[in-house]
Amino acid sequence: MSAAAGRSAVVTGANRADGIGLALVRELRARGCAPVVGTYRDPATSAALLELAATDADVLATELDVTSEPSIEAFAGWCSERLGSIGLLVNNAGLGSVDGSIVTAPLEDLEEQLQVHGLGMLRVTRALLPQMGRGSVALSISSSLGSIADMNEGSTYYAPAKALQNALTKQLAATVRRDGIVAFSACPGWVATSMGSPAAPLTPEESARQLADLALGAGPEDSGTFRSINGDVIAW
């Protein structure tokens, strides 16, 4: 029996037809996770996820705004009723970098980035922790751009927001480790999505396969780490 069989999973930000989140929902189902929940913020942009949920009883789709406390509270209640326990949480909800440089871009854009990537990840994880137990995994989909060691100009506000997400994930990992829960960050690679670039070398499906390997194979040694798509450790 695979490590995924019968394991419930939640993937936030699974609405984009060409996105990593939806590809992860499909990959986790193909490996035997059940049920797999994919979230969306706007049903008008979520046709592919809703169609998948309509054709597979073990794929569930529901609305979630990771910047809204009421939305997250409602989502946690929804998960409690339908899932019972959560074996895998993938915090994937995100948005791309903003136009302009860090000395000219509106600070409101920075606040949005921090709310989605950093605080959104923490809000969702905290809300779902009561349904996660020993052996559960919380994976933050990060980016190599969030490495402070390698950070430079560009990726305005996105890179610092990902650095915050990494820092919060590392502190979270140290806190939940005692309960047997593994929390870590991983970079999905450069992926050909609407947020990435058509020139990117990885398809969403290829990225999802490697991310699923990391998430489903995660153990105590992964707790608090920042991994590349190949499993190598990335400098903070």
Side-chain angles (χ1 to χ4, degrees), residues 123-215:
R123 286 190 186 101
V124 172
T125 305
R126 282 166 52 152
L128 298 185
L129 272 178
Q131 296 168 243
M132 300 174 72
R134 187 165 296 278
S136 295
V137 173
L139 170 60
S140 294
I141 301 300
S142 184
S143 169
S144 60
L145 296 170
S147 168
I148 295 175
D150 297 330
M151 198 177 295
N152 208 323
E153 67 175 332
S155 301
T156 305
Y157 296 154
Y158 177 86
K162 283 298 187 183
L164 173 62
Q165 182 187 44
N166 286 342
L168 292 173
T169 300
K170 187 170 177 63
Q171 190 170 46
L172 176 70
T175 304
V176 301
R177 186 183 291 119
R178 64 178 69 100
D179 299 316
I181 299 171
V182 174
F184 71 109
S185 299
C187 171
W190 188 21
V191 186
T193 69
S194 55
M195 276 182 59
S197 164
L202 288 174
T203 66
E205 292 73 24
E206 289 168 338
S207 176
R209 281 195 292 273
Q210 291 178 275
L211 288 170
D213 287 341
L214 292 176

Side-chain angles (χ1 to χ4, degrees), residues 16-29:
R16 292 188 182 92
D18 71 340
I20 296 168
L22 182 59
L24 263 173
V25 169
R26 291 193 173 110
E27 181 67 22
L28 293 172
R29 270 297 298 128

